[in-house]
Amino acid sequence: MKQKGKEMFPDIVATVSLKDKNDIEKTVEELNMNDKSVDIVEFRADTLSDTSLENINEVLGALKSKYTASPILFTYRSKGQGGLGDFDHETYYKLMQDIICNQKADYVDVQLDTYEDNLMNCITRAKNNNVKIIISHHDFKATPDVEEMFVTYEKMAELGADIGKLAVMPNNEKDLLSLLNAMNRAYHQLDIDVVGISMGELGIMTRITGGLFGSRLTYGFVGSEAAPGQLHVKNIKEQLALYNQ
């Protein structure tokens, strides 16, 4: 899937954190107002007040009926990976299978900590249904060393991800360089697209400069910030434009 030639300008993912269907109209209005700054919309199912499978599908369907300008990335982020989700493994797997097999999203984020058999089944069914899989891993405590991060990307590639996403927490400036180094190495050596993010205030620059090191996507928000250090999509677009002058 790897795409060469656009490294400096990654696609901008606009994360939306809805509570219920009442938030859709305002969210769609903001997405439309920032249409030139949005390439993909990430629907965070774990932020819903009611996370029953029925309600998740209902709100996702309502959003898609009102917003059709960009592809949809479906994410259910567990508490262990920095989200609000508390599904057990089997419920999480059932949700992923439903979204993938019924083509309810163009991209689906599947966490690396998913049981491997379940993860492999998701990937197989995604390929059969023309759904792109992002395998993700988040470390909110620290930044592993370069080799460990590269091995994580390597594992994502071996599992069959279309995109491997790694987000880590920096404790100093050297950690930023470590993340960018690992991502750049993965970009050149592995046959998948990669995403690398250093989170928090210290890591903000990686959300802007990551494309220079091979990051396929960068994540911003509309509405409210969904991760530490996340920028509004308009801000990201404006800062990326500085590199095109």
Side-chain angles (χ1 to χ4, degrees):
M1 178 183 174
K2 184 175 288 186
Q3 297 184 17
K4 296 276 190 177
K6 289 188 177 180
E7 296 86 350
M8 191 179 295
F9 305 105
D11 285 341
I12 299 174
V13 179
T15 300
V16 298
S17 303
L18 305 175
K19 295 299 181 185
D20 53 46
K21 286 196 296 185
N22 295 326
D23 293 337
I24 291 176
E25 184 175 350
K26 183 178 179 181
T27 298
V28 170
E29 181 179 340
E30 187 173 355
L31 286 169
N32 289 332
M33 286 175 59
N34 294 279
D35 63 314
K36 297 187 184 303
S37 303
V38 176
D39 297 300
I40 298 170
V41 172
E42 181 183 34
F43 174 79
R44 281 285 299 271
D46 57 292
T47 67
L48 294 173
S49 299
D50 175 2
T51 55
S52 64
L53 300 187
E54 180 181 4
N55 188 63
I56 288 173
N57 277 292
E58 184 177 343
V59 178
L60 175 59
L63 174 64
K64 290 173 62 180
S65 71
K66 294 182 180 297
Y67 181 79
T68 58
S70 303
I72 298 293
L73 160 60
F74 181 90
T75 299
Y76 180 92
R77 185 73 65 226
S78 70
K79 289 180 179 177
Q81 286 288 295
L84 300 175
D86 58 3
F87 283 171
D88 59 30
H89 283 280
E90 289 309 311
T91 305
Y92 176 81
Y93 175 59
K94 181 179 179 181
L95 173 62
M96 294 296 107
Q97 291 286 71
D98 176 45
I99 298 298
I100 292 167
C101 292
N102 292 295
Q103 299 176 317
K104 295 177 180 178
D106 304 282
Y107 297 82
V108 173
D109 180 302
V110 180
Q111 297 176 172
L112 184 60
D113 64 1
T114 305
Y115 289 155
E116 188 163 318
D117 286 348
N118 290 351
L119 197 157
M120 292 299 296
N121 283 334
C122 285
I123 291 171
T124 298
R125 296 189 180 191
K127 293 184 185 303
N128 292 336
N129 286 282
N130 198 31
V131 174
K132 301 299 182 185
I133 291 290
I134 299 174
I135 298 181
S136 66
H137 181 69
H138 297 70
D139 187 332
F140 283 83
K141 295 181 179 179
T143 298
D145 63 38
V146 173
E147 185 62 28
E148 184 177 344
M149 287 189 284
F150 176 76
V151 169
T152 299
Y153 280 123
E154 199 169 39
K155 176 68 171 177
M156 294 170 175
E158 290 172 356
L159 288 167
D162 294 291
I163 302 173
K165 177 192 176 188
L166 182 59
V168 296
M169 187 63 73
N171 292 308
N172 53 55
E173 292 82 358
K174 289 183 180 179
D175 283 346
L176 306 184
L177 298 178
S178 294
L179 179 277
L180 293 172
N181 187 353
M183 177 175 62
N184 186 248
R185 180 179 166 192
Y187 169 74
H188 285 290
Q189 295 185 21
L190 303 177
D191 192 28
I192 60 169
D193 286 320
V194 292
V195 177
I197 300 168
S198 279
M199 296 181 285
E201 293 297 315
L202 184 58
I204 284 177
M205 59 85 69
T206 65
R207 296 179 182 275
I208 303 302
T209 62
L212 293 166
F213 296 84
S215 192
R216 183 73 182 84
L217 307 173
T218 187
Y219 287 66
F221 70 88
V222 297
S224 59
E225 179 181 312
Q230 215 175 47
L231 301 171
H232 192 277
V233 292
K234 184 178 180 181
N235 192 342
I236 292 176
K237 186 70 171 183
E238 289 172 348
Q239 294 195 47
L240 286 174
L242 296 176
Y243 290 95
N244 198 31
Q245 293 182 348

